[in-house]
Amino acid sequence: MTATRRTDSPNPWVAEHIRRFEETGGVPRPGIRDLLLTTRGRRSGVLRRTALAYVRDGEAYVLTASNAGAERHPAWYLNLRACPAVTLQVGTESFPALARPATAAEAERLWPVVTAAMPSYAAYRASTGREIPLVVVIPRPAAG
């Protein structure tokens, strides 16, 4: 994913999380797996970066579009639905990937794994009327 302009999340907590991620070589919260996700803005075309917790499922990275239990999906989720080509940074390594919503069967299998890693996601699910999507992100070979 190449572009001349990138912006980080306007949410102060997320912006601070990104800063800590960079300062710590990708380990801002010991004991929690965090990554940086870069999506392309669905209207602006600008690259947008956010920090998220993840779990692994084989080669895939599984993200939770919880938006802290809000009634609307997070912008990053809407962006990757419009353009599934994303960039992940895990630790100090960045790589291209493709993102898609988990199937119903995948979500049923993965929710217990997600809530075991981040118990707050169970509370987010209980606090919202929307279905919180899980996102499966698969690394892909770099073009070229």
Side-chain angles (χ1 to χ4, degrees), residues 56-58 62 103-114 134 136:
R56 292 298 303 261
D57 184 45
V62 179
T103 66
E106 287 171 325
E108 184 177 341
R109 178 177 58 80
L110 291 168
W111 265 109
V113 178
V114 167
L134 295 181
V136 176

Side-chain angles (χ1 to χ4, degrees), residues 13 17 29 32-34 52-55 64-70 111-128 130 132 134:
W13 185 89
H17 192 156
R29 301 182 293 174
I32 298 175
R33 291 177 159 183
D34 287 301
L52 299 164
Y54 71 91
V55 297
T64 307
S66 71
N67 206 13
W111 265 109
V113 178
V114 167
T115 56
M118 289 290 292
S120 59
Y121 288 141
Y124 295 159
R125 283 182 89 186
S127 71
T128 186
R130 74 178 169 94
I132 294 177
L134 295 181

Side-chain angles (χ1 to χ4, degrees), residues 49-139:
R49 187 167 68 160
T50 193
L52 299 164
Y54 71 91
V55 297
R56 292 298 303 261
D57 184 45
E59 70 173 320
Y61 295 81
V62 179
L63 310 177
T64 307
S66 71
N67 206 13
E71 289 300 320
R72 66 188 184 290
H73 294 311
W76 64 262
Y77 176 74
L78 300 174
N79 289 343
L80 69 77
R81 291 295 311 263
C83 179
V86 300
T87 300
L88 293 184
Q89 182 178 340
V90 179
T92 58
E93 179 187 4
S94 291
F95 49 90
L98 286 175
R100 64 170 175 78
T103 66
E106 287 171 325
E108 184 177 341
R109 178 177 58 80
L110 291 168
W111 265 109
V113 178
V114 167
T115 56
M118 289 290 292
S120 59
Y121 288 141
Y124 295 159
R125 283 182 89 186
S127 71
T128 186
R130 74 178 169 94
E131 181 67 28
I132 294 177
L134 295 181
V135 175
V136 176
V137 187
I138 306 291

Side-chain angles (χ1 to χ4, degrees), residues 1-75:
M1 183 176 286
T2 60
T4 56
R5 202 168 123 214
R6 181 188 77 210
T7 186
D8 287 344
S9 172
N11 178 309
W13 185 89
V14 177
E16 175 64 16
H17 192 156
I18 292 169
R19 185 188 66 73
R20 285 192 322 270
F21 185 99
E22 291 177 329
E23 287 177 351
T24 63
V27 189
R29 301 182 293 174
I32 298 175
R33 291 177 159 183
D34 287 301
L35 57 72
L36 298 182
L37 169 72
T38 302
T39 60
R40 185 167 303 280
R42 63 198 177 282
R43 292 187 295 261
S44 69
V46 172
L47 295 178
R48 308 271 182 193
R49 187 167 68 160
T50 193
L52 299 164
Y54 71 91
V55 297
R56 292 298 303 261
D57 184 45
E59 70 173 320
Y61 295 81
V62 179
L63 310 177
T64 307
S66 71
N67 206 13
E71 289 300 320
R72 66 188 184 290
H73 294 311

